[in-house]
Amino acid sequence: MTSSAVSKRAAAQGSDKSVVTAALAAVDAAHAAFPEWAELGPAERRRRLGIAAELLAGKGDEFTALMAEEIGASAAWAQFNVRLAAGMMREAAAMTSQINGEIIPSDRPGSFAMAIRQPVGVCLGIAPWNAPVILATRALAMPLACGNTVVLKASETCPKTHALLAELMDQAGLGKDVVKVVANEEEDAADVVKALVEHPAVRRVNFTGSTRVGRIVGELAGRALKPVLLELGGKSPLIVLADADIDEAVNAAAFGAFMYQGQICMSTERVVIDERVADRFVEKLRAKVATLPVGDPSLGSVIGPVISDRSAERFLALVADARAKGADVSGGERLKPRLFKPAVADRVTSEMALFAEESFGPVVTVVRVKSEDDLAGVANDTSYGLAGAIFTRDITKALRIARKVQTGSFHINGPTVHDEAQMPFGGMKDSGFGRFGGKAAIHEFTDLRWVTIATEPVHYPF
């Protein structure tokens, strides 16, 4: 396996220094592989990435088993990961011939001026655990399409899942050391990430994860004067107007809030609703949520356990705080140490921690608003800005509100959880900056250069 990993076993047996040394060696190898990969024509890069996409698509069962083992994912969530990741790789393959420059008129006589895009070198991708196949593929697909080599920093929670993805890149014949993967124990993560970001051969950094860690990665990259793409946490609002199709809004809210028990960056954390229809909406939402199977995802349950004991305690604290401060909470009971009934917290106010803090668990809040004029303001009353949605039959009004809501993506009559390979995806405010996906990602993973050709002698003042 040319995309060699620092395995969890090796990391545990070695010192901090040996783990960092191995991580730096991965960057050195990717740097050495860069010139050959960068010189490949777009058709050949497209061919190899296409093979990688088909290999990925064919490994659904293996990824499903690994995701169940490492992160407790249901088969539905794992298979969705594989389908979208394969689509991302196919889209990246299609982009290899779309990396365009332009000819720019010059004021200098006899000067032919161009703006050209070219690969930057080694790109560091840091991927999380919650959508491990999608987000690791996203971290490497467009950088590769643009002619860069990649070092993938795997999540400590799902190293086997990320290692399998790297193996598939090798099997696709991308080339020796074009993709390297580094894994480590949690206690070594800070040292490894710092060393990787500061390595001189790393020219771009992309990180998907929490806002807290994203700030650290952003600061490291800033000190090293390296562009960084950050896709961070969210507190996504789903706005419901009085004229909305309530059944459709309920379906979208239940899906957006409770898919993978709310552990998705785009999860519907808040329903911001016109109080005239709030009672009817909450009644229907609670009825639907009560039907969601809770238990072992491998046996078909929709709601499975949260990822860690720390997540479980955080969920309990947020729900308890909301109850204590007057929220009308249904569900949320603890069934096992990490397993909870899904919760709907109605009449949530800004005094409650659940109003502002990302829960990353199986709970959705309902915030009632008296005036349509206040909907966008309440939706924006958060430090986050990743995704949003609105339900209404008035599309003109929906577009007007969409322009006011400060999120990187916004969906009219659809759920907040929505991603497609060709779309520009990223956040605003504390949800990060930069865009993954399609043509927008070309800007992130190439350098734009100004090149001129003098077609006649240049006049100089001396």
Side-chain angles (χ1 to χ4, degrees):
M1 168 176 163
T2 59
S3 46
S4 58
V6 182
S7 69
K8 292 191 77 174
R9 180 178 298 173
Q13 292 175 344
S15 66
D16 286 355
K17 184 176 179 180
S18 69
V19 175
V20 170
T21 299
L24 296 178
V27 179
D28 290 336
H31 180 57
F34 169 67
E36 183 176 349
W37 178 252
E39 286 300 313
L40 283 180
E44 180 59 22
R45 277 208 303 273
R46 180 167 58 246
R47 185 188 71 82
R48 297 186 192 186
L49 292 172
I51 294 171
E54 298 316 309
L55 289 174
L56 203 167
K59 290 291 183 178
D61 291 344
E62 289 88 337
F63 278 116
T64 297
L66 287 174
M67 286 177 63
E69 173 190 343
E70 292 188 309
I71 65 168
S74 67
W77 181 234
Q79 292 292 337
F80 175 77
N81 262 251
V82 173
R83 287 195 303 273
L84 181 54
M88 287 176 166
M89 193 64 73
R90 293 187 188 104
E91 181 67 19
M95 286 289 105
T96 60
S97 58
Q98 302 300 310
I99 303 168
N100 301 322
E102 61 178 325
I103 297 171
I104 305 172
S106 173
D107 287 328
R108 172 180 284 180
S111 177
F112 184 82
M114 298 173 287
I116 64 172
R117 288 199 174 275
Q118 64 185 52
V120 301
V122 179
C123 294
L124 170 63
I126 306 174
W129 54 267
N130 58 320
V133 189
I134 292 170
L135 299 179
T137 300
R138 189 177 72 173
L140 58 82
M142 278 303 296
L144 290 171
C146 291
N148 306 294
T149 53
V150 175
V151 173
L152 175 66
K153 162 66 177 69
S155 167
E156 299 85 5
T157 305
C158 57
K160 294 179 184 178
T161 302
H162 285 161
L164 176 57
L165 179 64
E167 289 173 9
L168 296 180
M169 300 303 104
D170 288 339
Q171 293 173 21
L174 298 189
K176 185 177 186 298
D177 297 331
V178 169
V179 174
K180 302 289 287 184
V181 62
V182 172
N184 53 267
E185 294 286 357
E186 186 173 355
E187 57 265 28
D188 296 324
D191 290 337
V192 169
V193 169
K194 183 175 186 292
L196 289 171
V197 172
E198 292 178 348
H199 193 298
V202 170
R203 302 313 310 157
R204 292 290 190 279
V205 179
N206 71 81
F207 170 83
T208 302
S210 71
T211 296
R212 180 185 67 82
V213 177
R215 290 186 192 278
I216 296 169
V217 173
E219 289 171 3
L220 288 171
R223 285 197 292 269
L225 296 179
K226 297 178 182 181
V228 59
L229 193 171
L230 301 174
E231 195 258 275
L232 309 176
K235 191 74 178 174
S236 298
L238 186 147
I239 300 170
V240 182
L241 271 58
D243 70 340
D245 182 325
I246 296 299
D247 290 334
E248 282 298 306
V250 164
N251 289 337
F255 169 77
F258 299 114
M259 182 66 176
Y260 192 43
Q261 43 278 9
Q263 298 176 126
I264 303 172
C265 57
M266 301 169 278
S267 289
T268 304
E269 294 252 349
R270 299 176 296 149
V271 175
V272 181
I273 188 167
D274 188 310
E275 66 175 4
R276 291 173 291 177
V277 293
D279 286 344
R280 185 155 57 99
F281 175 89
V282 170
E283 180 183 2
K284 286 176 174 286
L285 178 61
R286 284 177 167 162
K288 183 174 182 65
V289 170
T291 69
L292 301 179
V294 181
D296 186 345
S298 68
L299 301 178
S301 293
V302 172
I303 308 295
V306 296
I307 191 66
S308 66
D309 293 337
R310 183 169 55 189
S311 293
E313 295 307 316
R314 174 175 169 76
F315 171 84
L316 283 174
L318 288 170
V319 172
D321 175 77
R323 275 200 175 105
K325 293 176 179 176
D328 178 8
V329 181
S330 60
E333 296 87 356
R334 192 175 212 162
L335 303 178
K336 291 184 178 180
R338 298 184 185 178
L339 186 66
F340 303 89
K341 287 186 177 180
V344 176
D346 187 17
R347 302 184 185 276
V348 168
T349 65
S350 59
E351 291 76 25
M352 304 168 189
L354 198 53
F355 181 90
E357 295 184 25
E358 183 180 26
S359 68
F360 227 61
V363 57
V364 63
T365 67
V366 179
V367 181
R368 298 177 179 228
V369 177
K370 292 183 178 181
S371 169
E372 280 190 358
D373 295 336
D374 297 330
L375 289 167
V378 174
N380 287 330
D381 191 9
T382 171
S383 63
Y384 296 106
L386 188 59
I390 189 169
F391 274 79
T392 175
R393 291 180 170 87
D394 188 337
I395 302 304
T396 300
K397 184 182 294 183
L399 287 169
R400 185 168 65 249
I401 293 173
R403 284 193 290 269
K404 296 178 181 178
V405 177
Q406 299 162 351
T407 57
S409 60
F410 195 82
H411 309 291
I412 297 171
N413 294 328
T416 62
V417 177
H418 184 189
D419 196 7
E420 296 182 44
Q422 71 274 26
M423 300 303 176
F425 190 87
M428 300 168 66
K429 301 193 293 187
D430 286 359
S431 291
F433 48 79
R435 293 294 180 267
F436 289 102
K439 288 188 176 181
I442 294 173
H443 166 80
E444 307 290 346
F445 301 116
T446 57
D447 277 326
L448 183 63
R449 302 186 62 214
W450 174 32
V451 177
T452 66
I453 303 170
T455 60
E456 59 184 64
V458 178
H459 173 73
Y460 300 100
F462 55 85

